[in-house]
Amino acid sequence: MSAETSIPPPRSDGNAVPGDAVRALLDDSPVGFALLDSTGRIVAANRLVAEMLGRSPELCPGYEPAELMRACGVPADAAEAPDRVVRVRHRTGDGRLWALTWFPVADPVTGDPHLALIALRDGDEAHRDEQRLRALLQIGNQIVWTADARGEIHEDSPQWRNVTGQSTRDYLGRGWLDSVHPDDRDSVERAWNDAVLDGTPFDALFRVRTRSGGHDHYRARAKPVTEGGAPVEWVGSLVDVTTEREADELRRRLNQQLSEAAMRTARLQQATSDLAEALTVDEVVAAMSVIGRSGVGADHTSVVLLDRNGARLDTVVAAGSHPLPRGSFPLGHPEIAARAIADRAPRTAADPAELAALMEDAPEVGELVALTSERAWAALPMMVAGRPIGALRLAFDSPREIGDEERVFLEALAGQCALAIGRAALYEQEHNTAEELQRSLLPDELPEVRGVRLAAYYRSGSRHVQVGGDWYDAFPLSDGRIAGVLGDVMGKGIPAAAGMSRIRNALRALAFSMPEPADVLTGLDRMFSATEGMDQVTTLVYFVLDPVTGQLDLSNAGHPPPLVVAGGAPPSLLDTDPDTPLGITSPRGHHKFFVQPGNTVALYSDGLVENRKRSVDSGLDELVDVASSAPPEVVGDPQQMLEYLVESMLEGYEQDDDVTLLAVQLPVIESVTDR
């Protein structure tokens, strides 16, 4: 039979035979094809099938392939029932591997399913491709695995066994889940069940227990192999991503450390700014408390300072923190702050047990734990010019470790605190000295004059350390009247204090020789021009009061108007236009008023009504309103009245200037007949 007759024409029984085009396709195909009729005989075969049968293609028609099927491992009943797909692999005598697929086809004419097509191809190349793929995956540190349509592992995986130490028996089915980290197992199993149920790709990250007992990170991916739209198998891979995860974690920790370092740097800069504004030790400790809470979460902050002799320690506690069992103790006392100062090195304790070990089981540790909520501690010495001045002490209400980064931050913070404490101590010393000097220039006490009640109030400004120029004075005159003055020499320091002292002494001398207010101020103008500089502005109010008649004569040299508080009438400001400050030559005015029994006349410096947030005009209006709200018992007592005015007027404002007041009251009880 020639090649042209190897594929016969259609037979009378209706079985179709391929035409020339199909025949050429079959002969040239790299895959073996054979077409069977309804009797199970070969109708046509191409070259590769003929080689399998050991004959030429022309001799293949009419051949019964049962022997070939059996040689390829096809069951006998499969050859008799060509209604399903059958796949087998067969290696011929020459060592070549063949893959055989046998499945039903329809008659192209009648559509009856009584023809079967056998397709064969050389499986060696496919096998080599598979081996190459597996080798490539192994190089990429991947574990290849397969599962059946139900998601059960059905093939051994030596790589998995090498990693996990599981046996094949332990690994198959769902046994591989036993090697998944317990914290990850439920979520992985749930994701795998959902993928198998829905036929969707599987992708999960989880930890796997290794042969050594540790856990490495793996990423599992799998996709279903489908036929007819239904999964028949799952093919997946496992990739070790431990290095990537560790690198990610390292980057995350590094970023976190950098972020925390940047935050601590910002907090240290803010601490520097806050501490620069703290003028007293209490203000420094208050600022440190805020910084300690925000910087490291400290619940209690205190500063422990050495005394001048360097033998005892005094504790300054921030507001809101509990006091220590001993606020003052010797340097050798078993206290962590004392230990840090003595050792000149930071000392920390993460819990009471560590503190007890650090203090060599001193009973004072138990006392501290029993009396306070402190459960962890950090103390850092504060050094100035190479010598300790005390320690910054931080405490926490729960046990905690102080990390290296926190320790560096706290050491820098303690350095800033030491500088601030040094400045604050110097400020307090200078401020106290200035305040003492200021008070020494004021009267030790006010005179007692029958029929008159006098009161004075002085509060130094909190933001400066220099002596100010505010002053007041009151003294009886030879004619039975009483003179009073309140003035303000602008500026600070010794020049202002010296000018104030000269003006005060000159006023007293002038008042005894020519007591009327206009005359006294005119004389002061001449003295001022001769002894004081024109840049030293001075204002004052001077009055003379007759206790019998209540007549009050007053001159005002550029000062705020006096306040009159009456028991039965609204308070008011004396309606006078102030003259110019001292030294500016101009006619001096003389104003006459009558003070009724029970009324109080109050003089005050501009620090009471003016500051950076309040103008003089608004301050004067507020002063009248505040006086209107004074309780009756305050109105009847000039000293209480002054204190009430100061507290009410300064509430909500930062005092940035000295505040000085002088009040004179005619009591209701007093009368002429009593004299």
Side-chain angles (χ1 to χ4, degrees), residues 521-530 532-539 556-558 578-589:
L521 265 59
T522 300
L524 287 177
D525 283 335
R526 291 193 295 268
M527 186 277 299
F528 196 94
S529 299
E532 309 300 322
M534 294 305 297
D535 58 340
Q536 191 161 8
V537 180
T538 300
T539 66
N556 186 334
D579 294 335
T580 58
L582 291 183
I584 302 176
T585 304
S586 63
R588 290 297 174 182

PDB file of all heavy atoms in Angstrom, residues 521-530 532-539 556-558 578-589:
ATOM      1  N   LEU A 521       5.971 119.402  94.100  1.00  0.00           N
ATOM      2  CA  LEU A 521       6.327 118.924  92.768  1.00  0.00           C
ATOM      3  C   LEU A 521       7.141 119.957  91.988  1.00  0.00           C
ATOM      4  O   LEU A 521       8.044 119.603  91.222  1.00  0.00           O
ATOM      5  CB  LEU A 521       5.069 118.540  91.985  1.00  0.00           C
ATOM      6  CG  LEU A 521       4.691 117.041  92.056  1.00  0.00           C
ATOM      7  CD1 LEU A 521       4.452 116.618  93.500  1.00  0.00           C
ATOM      8  CD2 LEU A 521       3.495 116.732  91.187  1.00  0.00           C
ATOM      9  N   THR A 522       6.848 121.259  92.233  1.00  0.00           N
ATOM     10  CA  THR A 522       7.647 122.299  91.577  1.00  0.00           C
ATOM     11  C   THR A 522       9.084 122.247  92.070  1.00  0.00           C
ATOM     12  O   THR A 522      10.038 122.361  91.278  1.00  0.00           O
ATOM     13  CB  THR A 522       7.033 123.681  91.831  1.00  0.00           C
ATOM     14  OG1 THR A 522       5.695 123.712  91.301  1.00  0.00           O
ATOM     15  CG2 THR A 522       7.860 124.777  91.171  1.00  0.00           C
ATOM     16  N   GLY A 523       9.265 122.045  93.366  1.00  0.00           N
ATOM     17  CA  GLY A 523      10.614 121.916  93.908  1.00  0.00           C
ATOM     18  C   GLY A 523      11.316 120.678  93.384  1.00  0.00           C
ATOM     19  O   GLY A 523      12.521 120.691  93.097  1.00  0.00           O
ATOM     20  N   LEU A 524      10.574 119.589  93.236  1.00  0.00           N
ATOM     21  CA  LEU A 524      11.178 118.365  92.690  1.00  0.00           C
ATOM     22  C   LEU A 524      11.612 118.556  91.241  1.00  0.00           C
ATOM     23  O   LEU A 524      12.628 117.994  90.810  1.00  0.00           O
ATOM     24  CB  LEU A 524      10.193 117.199  92.795  1.00  0.00           C
ATOM     25  CG  LEU A 524       9.965 116.620  94.195  1.00  0.00           C
ATOM     26  CD1 LEU A 524       8.907 115.521  94.139  1.00  0.00           C
ATOM     27  CD2 LEU A 524      11.260 116.068  94.773  1.00  0.00           C
ATOM     28  N   ASP A 525      10.856 119.351  90.494  1.00  0.00           N
ATOM     29  CA  ASP A 525      11.254 119.616  89.112  1.00  0.00           C
ATOM     30  C   ASP A 525      12.630 120.276  89.068  1.00  0.00           C
ATOM     31  O   ASP A 525      13.484 119.910  88.237  1.00  0.00           O
ATOM     32  CB  ASP A 525      10.227 120.530  88.429  1.00  0.00           C
ATOM     33  CG  ASP A 525       8.961 119.773  88.033  1.00  0.00           C
ATOM     34  OD1 ASP A 525       9.047 118.549  87.836  1.00  0.00           O
ATOM     35  OD2 ASP A 525       7.900 120.410  87.899  1.00  0.00           O
ATOM     36  N   ARG A 526      12.863 121.258  89.968  1.00  0.00           N
ATOM     37  CA  ARG A 526      14.146 121.949  89.975  1.00  0.00           C
ATOM     38  C   ARG A 526      15.272 120.998  90.377  1.00  0.00           C
ATOM     39  O   ARG A 526      16.346 120.989  89.775  1.00  0.00           O
ATOM     40  CB  ARG A 526      14.082 123.140  90.933  1.00  0.00           C
ATOM     41  CG  ARG A 526      13.174 124.264  90.436  1.00  0.00           C
ATOM     42  CD  ARG A 526      13.403 125.532  91.252  1.00  0.00           C
ATOM     43  NE  ARG A 526      13.009 125.340  92.649  1.00  0.00           N
ATOM     44  CZ  ARG A 526      11.797 125.625  93.123  1.00  0.00           C
ATOM     45  NH1 ARG A 526      10.853 126.092  92.306  1.00  0.00           N
ATOM     46  NH2 ARG A 526      11.510 125.454  94.395  1.00  0.00           N
ATOM     47  N   MET A 527      15.001 120.183  91.401  1.00  0.00           N
ATOM     48  CA  MET A 527      16.004 119.211  91.828  1.00  0.00           C
ATOM     49  C   MET A 527      16.277 118.180  90.724  1.00  0.00           C
ATOM     50  O   MET A 527      17.429 117.826  90.458  1.00  0.00           O
ATOM     51  CB  MET A 527      15.524 118.505  93.106  1.00  0.00           C
ATOM     52  CG  MET A 527      16.560 117.559  93.720  1.00  0.00           C
ATOM     53  SD  MET A 527      16.620 115.895  92.973  1.00  0.00           S
ATOM     54  CE  MET A 527      14.980 115.293  93.293  1.00  0.00           C
ATOM     55  N   PHE A 528      15.246 117.746  90.075  1.00  0.00           N
ATOM     56  CA  PHE A 528      15.378 116.711  89.045  1.00  0.00           C
ATOM     57  C   PHE A 528      16.244 117.231  87.898  1.00  0.00           C
ATOM     58  O   PHE A 528      17.133 116.526  87.403  1.00  0.00           O
ATOM     59  CB  PHE A 528      13.984 116.321  88.532  1.00  0.00           C
ATOM     60  CG  PHE A 528      13.962 115.029  87.763  1.00  0.00           C
ATOM     61  CD1 PHE A 528      13.668 113.834  88.378  1.00  0.00           C
ATOM     62  CD2 PHE A 528      14.239 115.018  86.400  1.00  0.00           C
ATOM     63  CE1 PHE A 528      13.648 112.639  87.658  1.00  0.00           C
ATOM     64  CE2 PHE A 528      14.226 113.830  85.670  1.00  0.00           C
ATOM     65  CZ  PHE A 528      13.931 112.632  86.308  1.00  0.00           C
ATOM     66  N   SER A 529      16.005 118.481  87.492  1.00  0.00           N
ATOM     67  CA  SER A 529      16.775 119.044  86.387  1.00  0.00           C
ATOM     68  C   SER A 529      18.249 119.169  86.753  1.00  0.00           C
ATOM     69  O   SER A 529      19.129 119.079  85.885  1.00  0.00           O
ATOM     70  CB  SER A 529      16.218 120.422  85.999  1.00  0.00           C
ATOM     71  OG  SER A 529      14.869 120.306  85.581  1.00  0.00           O
ATOM     72  N   ALA A 530      18.504 119.353  88.030  1.00  0.00           N
ATOM     73  CA  ALA A 530      19.883 119.559  88.455  1.00  0.00           C
ATOM     74  C   ALA A 530      20.634 118.249  88.685  1.00  0.00           C
ATOM     75  O   ALA A 530      21.853 118.194  88.485  1.00  0.00           O
ATOM     76  CB  ALA A 530      19.900 120.403  89.734  1.00  0.00           C
ATOM     77  N   GLU A 532      19.214 114.700  87.955  1.00  0.00           N
ATOM     78  CA  GLU A 532      18.822 113.488  87.235  1.00  0.00           C
ATOM     79  C   GLU A 532      18.959 113.691  85.724  1.00  0.00           C
ATOM     80  O   GLU A 532      18.832 114.806  85.210  1.00  0.00           O
ATOM     81  CB  GLU A 532      17.369 113.110  87.568  1.00  0.00           C
ATOM     82  CG  GLU A 532      17.069 113.049  89.046  1.00  0.00           C
ATOM     83  CD  GLU A 532      17.935 112.031  89.772  1.00  0.00           C
ATOM     84  OE1 GLU A 532      18.196 110.964  89.182  1.00  0.00           O
ATOM     85  OE2 GLU A 532      18.346 112.287  90.916  1.00  0.00           O
ATOM     86  N   GLY A 533      19.169 112.604  85.017  1.00  0.00           N
ATOM     87  CA  GLY A 533      19.226 112.665  83.570  1.00  0.00           C
ATOM     88  C   GLY A 533      17.831 112.748  82.978  1.00  0.00           C
ATOM     89  O   GLY A 533      16.861 112.214  83.532  1.00  0.00           O
ATOM     90  N   MET A 534      17.733 113.393  81.821  1.00  0.00           N
ATOM     91  CA  MET A 534      16.427 113.561  81.210  1.00  0.00           C
ATOM     92  C   MET A 534      15.858 112.248  80.683  1.00  0.00           C
ATOM     93  O   MET A 534      14.666 112.148  80.400  1.00  0.00           O
ATOM     94  CB  MET A 534      16.537 114.578  80.060  1.00  0.00           C
ATOM     95  CG  MET A 534      16.866 115.995  80.520  1.00  0.00           C
ATOM     96  SD  MET A 534      15.696 116.612  81.760  1.00  0.00           S
ATOM     97  CE  MET A 534      14.190 116.610  80.791  1.00  0.00           C
ATOM     98  N   ASP A 535      16.731 111.246  80.526  1.00  0.00           N
ATOM     99  CA  ASP A 535      16.233 109.949  80.039  1.00  0.00           C
ATOM    100  C   ASP A 535      15.637 109.106  81.162  1.00  0.00           C
ATOM    101  O   ASP A 535      15.094 108.033  80.917  1.00  0.00           O
ATOM    102  CB  ASP A 535      17.352 109.165  79.354  1.00  0.00           C
ATOM    103  CG  ASP A 535      18.540 108.924  80.272  1.00  0.00           C
ATOM    104  OD1 ASP A 535      18.660 109.657  81.277  1.00  0.00           O
ATOM    105  OD2 ASP A 535      19.350 108.016  79.968  1.00  0.00           O
ATOM    106  N   GLN A 536      15.760 109.565  82.414  1.00  0.00           N
ATOM    107  CA  GLN A 536      15.228 108.804  83.541  1.00  0.00           C
ATOM    108  C   GLN A 536      13.844 109.352  83.893  1.00  0.00           C
ATOM    109  O   GLN A 536      13.687 110.205  84.761  1.00  0.00           O
ATOM    110  CB  GLN A 536      16.163 108.881  84.739  1.00  0.00           C
ATOM    111  CG  GLN A 536      15.798 107.889  85.843  1.00  0.00           C
ATOM    112  CD  GLN A 536      16.961 107.662  86.788  1.00  0.00           C
ATOM    113  OE1 GLN A 536      17.972 108.351  86.713  1.00  0.00           O
ATOM    114  NE2 GLN A 536      16.823 106.697  87.665  1.00  0.00           N
ATOM    115  N   VAL A 537      12.837 108.837  83.223  1.00  0.00           N
ATOM    116  CA  VAL A 537      11.474 109.322  83.405  1.00  0.00           C
ATOM    117  C   VAL A 537      10.954 108.881  84.763  1.00  0.00           C
ATOM    118  O   VAL A 537      11.099 107.720  85.162  1.00  0.00           O
ATOM    119  CB  VAL A 537      10.553 108.798  82.278  1.00  0.00           C
ATOM    120  CG1 VAL A 537       9.128 109.307  82.483  1.00  0.00           C
ATOM    121  CG2 VAL A 537      11.098 109.224  80.926  1.00  0.00           C
ATOM    122  N   THR A 538      10.350 109.834  85.472  1.00  0.00           N
ATOM    123  CA  THR A 538       9.804 109.547  86.797  1.00  0.00           C
ATOM    124  C   THR A 538       8.404 110.128  86.897  1.00  0.00           C
ATOM    125  O   THR A 538       8.177 111.297  86.578  1.00  0.00           O
ATOM    126  CB  THR A 538      10.686 110.161  87.903  1.00  0.00           C
ATOM    127  OG1 THR A 538      12.002 109.605  87.817  1.00  0.00           O
ATOM    128  CG2 THR A 538      10.107 109.878  89.270  1.00  0.00           C
ATOM    129  N   THR A 539       7.463 109.296  87.349  1.00  0.00           N
ATOM    130  CA  THR A 539       6.092 109.748  87.585  1.00  0.00           C
ATOM    131  C   THR A 539       5.741 109.498  89.045  1.00  0.00           C
ATOM    132  O   THR A 539       6.313 108.601  89.690  1.00  0.00           O
ATOM    133  CB  THR A 539       5.101 108.981  86.678  1.00  0.00           C
ATOM    134  OG1 THR A 539       5.081 107.601  87.059  1.00  0.00           O
ATOM    135  CG2 THR A 539       5.473 109.097  85.214  1.00  0.00           C
ATOM    136  N   ASN A 556      -0.502 115.349  90.478  1.00  0.00           N
ATOM    137  CA  ASN A 556      -0.186 114.123  89.728  1.00  0.00           C
ATOM    138  C   ASN A 556       0.830 114.464  88.645  1.00  0.00           C
ATOM    139  O   ASN A 556       0.556 115.251  87.737  1.00  0.00           O
ATOM    140  CB  ASN A 556      -1.456 113.538  89.093  1.00  0.00           C
ATOM    141  CG  ASN A 556      -1.209 112.184  88.438  1.00  0.00           C
ATOM    142  OD1 ASN A 556      -0.096 111.867  88.023  1.00  0.00           O
ATOM    143  ND2 ASN A 556      -2.265 111.398  88.340  1.00  0.00           N
ATOM    144  N   ALA A 557       2.017 113.881  88.749  1.00  0.00           N
ATOM    145  CA  ALA A 557       3.079 114.103  87.763  1.00  0.00           C
ATOM    146  C   ALA A 557       3.139 112.905  86.802  1.00  0.00           C
ATOM    147  O   ALA A 557       4.011 112.040  86.907  1.00  0.00           O
ATOM    148  CB  ALA A 557       4.415 114.320  88.453  1.00  0.00           C
ATOM    149  N   GLY A 558       2.150 112.838  85.876  1.00  0.00           N
ATOM    150  CA  GLY A 558       2.167 111.821  84.822  1.00  0.00           C
ATOM    151  C   GLY A 558       1.873 110.410  85.265  1.00  0.00           C
ATOM    152  O   GLY A 558       2.220 109.450  84.573  1.00  0.00           O
ATOM    153  N   PRO A 578      -3.560 114.342  84.530  1.00  0.00           N
ATOM    154  CA  PRO A 578      -2.196 114.316  85.076  1.00  0.00           C
ATOM    155  C   PRO A 578      -1.304 115.337  84.388  1.00  0.00           C
ATOM    156  O   PRO A 578      -1.425 115.595  83.185  1.00  0.00           O
ATOM    157  CB  PRO A 578      -1.734 112.880  84.798  1.00  0.00           C
ATOM    158  CG  PRO A 578      -2.548 112.445  83.623  1.00  0.00           C
ATOM    159  CD  PRO A 578      -3.877 113.115  83.778  1.00  0.00           C
ATOM    160  N   ASP A 579      -0.409 115.936  85.189  1.00  0.00           N
ATOM    161  CA  ASP A 579       0.598 116.823  84.625  1.00  0.00           C
ATOM    162  C   ASP A 579       1.738 115.991  84.035  1.00  0.00           C
ATOM    163  O   ASP A 579       1.690 114.758  84.023  1.00  0.00           O
ATOM    164  CB  ASP A 579       1.133 117.760  85.713  1.00  0.00           C
ATOM    165  CG  ASP A 579       0.049 118.727  86.212  1.00  0.00           C
ATOM    166  OD1 ASP A 579      -0.890 119.000  85.432  1.00  0.00           O
ATOM    167  OD2 ASP A 579       0.147 119.173  87.374  1.00  0.00           O
ATOM    168  N   THR A 580       2.753 116.680  83.600  1.00  0.00           N
ATOM    169  CA  THR A 580       3.887 115.995  82.978  1.00  0.00           C
ATOM    170  C   THR A 580       4.742 115.308  84.041  1.00  0.00           C
ATOM    171  O   THR A 580       4.714 115.674  85.224  1.00  0.00           O
ATOM    172  CB  THR A 580       4.751 117.007  82.212  1.00  0.00           C
ATOM    173  OG1 THR A 580       5.193 118.020  83.122  1.00  0.00           O
ATOM    174  CG2 THR A 580       3.955 117.644  81.080  1.00  0.00           C
ATOM    175  N   PRO A 581       5.553 114.298  83.643  1.00  0.00           N
ATOM    176  CA  PRO A 581       6.482 113.670  84.595  1.00  0.00           C
ATOM    177  C   PRO A 581       7.471 114.692  85.133  1.00  0.00           C
ATOM    178  O   PRO A 581       7.623 115.807  84.611  1.00  0.00           O
ATOM    179  CB  PRO A 581       7.178 112.593  83.747  1.00  0.00           C
ATOM    180  CG  PRO A 581       6.215 112.301  82.646  1.00  0.00           C
ATOM    181  CD  PRO A 581       5.540 113.608  82.348  1.00  0.00           C
ATOM    182  N   LEU A 582       8.177 114.308  86.188  1.00  0.00           N
ATOM    183  CA  LEU A 582       9.142 115.209  86.816  1.00  0.00           C
ATOM    184  C   LEU A 582      10.235 115.613  85.831  1.00  0.00           C
ATOM    185  O   LEU A 582      10.622 114.833  84.954  1.00  0.00           O
ATOM    186  CB  LEU A 582       9.776 114.533  88.033  1.00  0.00           C
ATOM    187  CG  LEU A 582       8.877 114.296  89.255  1.00  0.00           C
ATOM    188  CD1 LEU A 582       9.697 113.694  90.386  1.00  0.00           C
ATOM    189  CD2 LEU A 582       8.200 115.582  89.708  1.00  0.00           C
ATOM    190  N   GLY A 583      10.730 116.860  86.035  1.00  0.00           N
ATOM    191  CA  GLY A 583      11.827 117.349  85.215  1.00  0.00           C
ATOM    192  C   GLY A 583      11.389 118.094  83.989  1.00  0.00           C
ATOM    193  O   GLY A 583      12.201 118.767  83.351  1.00  0.00           O
ATOM    194  N   ILE A 584      10.132 117.949  83.603  1.00  0.00           N
ATOM    195  CA  ILE A 584       9.609 118.697  82.457  1.00  0.00           C
ATOM    196  C   ILE A 584       8.909 119.926  83.023  1.00  0.00           C
ATOM    197  O   ILE A 584       7.839 119.833  83.633  1.00  0.00           O
ATOM    198  CB  ILE A 584       8.646 117.836  81.626  1.00  0.00           C
ATOM    199  CG1 ILE A 584       9.369 116.568  81.134  1.00  0.00           C
ATOM    200  CG2 ILE A 584       8.086 118.627  80.465  1.00  0.00           C
ATOM    201  CD1 ILE A 584       8.472 115.613  80.386  1.00  0.00           C
ATOM    202  N   THR A 585       9.532 121.081  82.848  1.00  0.00           N
ATOM    203  CA  THR A 585       9.045 122.305  83.492  1.00  0.00           C
ATOM    204  C   THR A 585       7.676 122.698  82.949  1.00  0.00           C
ATOM    205  O   THR A 585       7.487 122.846  81.729  1.00  0.00           O
ATOM    206  CB  THR A 585      10.029 123.457  83.269  1.00  0.00           C
ATOM    207  OG1 THR A 585      11.315 123.062  83.757  1.00  0.00           O
ATOM    208  CG2 THR A 585       9.567 124.709  83.984  1.00  0.00           C
ATOM    209  N   SER A 586       6.710 122.774  83.858  1.00  0.00           N
ATOM    210  CA  SER A 586       5.351 123.208  83.512  1.00  0.00           C
ATOM    211  C   SER A 586       4.652 123.557  84.816  1.00  0.00           C
ATOM    212  O   SER A 586       5.026 123.058  85.885  1.00  0.00           O
ATOM    213  CB  SER A 586       4.589 122.105  82.777  1.00  0.00           C
ATOM    214  OG  SER A 586       4.425 120.976  83.604  1.00  0.00           O
ATOM    215  N   PRO A 587       3.646 124.449  84.763  1.00  0.00           N
ATOM    216  CA  PRO A 587       2.910 124.769  85.998  1.00  0.00           C
ATOM    217  C   PRO A 587       2.277 123.512  86.584  1.00  0.00           C
ATOM    218  O   PRO A 587       1.654 122.718  85.873  1.00  0.00           O
ATOM    219  CB  PRO A 587       1.850 125.773  85.518  1.00  0.00           C
ATOM    220  CG  PRO A 587       2.371 126.323  84.237  1.00  0.00           C
ATOM    221  CD  PRO A 587       3.147 125.210  83.599  1.00  0.00           C
ATOM    222  N   ARG A 588       2.428 123.310  87.874  1.00  0.00           N
ATOM    223  CA  ARG A 588       1.910 122.121  88.529  1.00  0.00           C
ATOM    224  C   ARG A 588       0.488 122.375  89.028  1.00  0.00           C
ATOM    225  O   ARG A 588       0.210 123.380  89.689  1.00  0.00           O
ATOM    226  CB  ARG A 588       2.805 121.711  89.699  1.00  0.00           C
ATOM    227  CG  ARG A 588       4.155 121.179  89.267  1.00  0.00           C
ATOM    228  CD  ARG A 588       4.008 119.899  88.455  1.00  0.00           C
ATOM    229  NE  ARG A 588       5.276 119.434  87.895  1.00  0.00           N
ATOM    230  CZ  ARG A 588       5.384 118.358  87.115  1.00  0.00           C
ATOM    231  NH1 ARG A 588       4.277 117.676  86.799  1.00  0.00           N
ATOM    232  NH2 ARG A 588       6.547 118.000  86.649  1.00  0.00           N
ATOM    233  N   GLY A 589      -0.414 121.464  88.722  1.00  0.00           N
ATOM    234  CA  GLY A 589      -1.793 121.585  89.151  1.00  0.00           C
ATOM    235  C   GLY A 589      -1.975 121.152  90.594  1.00  0.00           C
ATOM    236  O   GLY A 589      -1.181 120.381  91.147  1.00  0.00           O
TER     237      GLY A 589
END
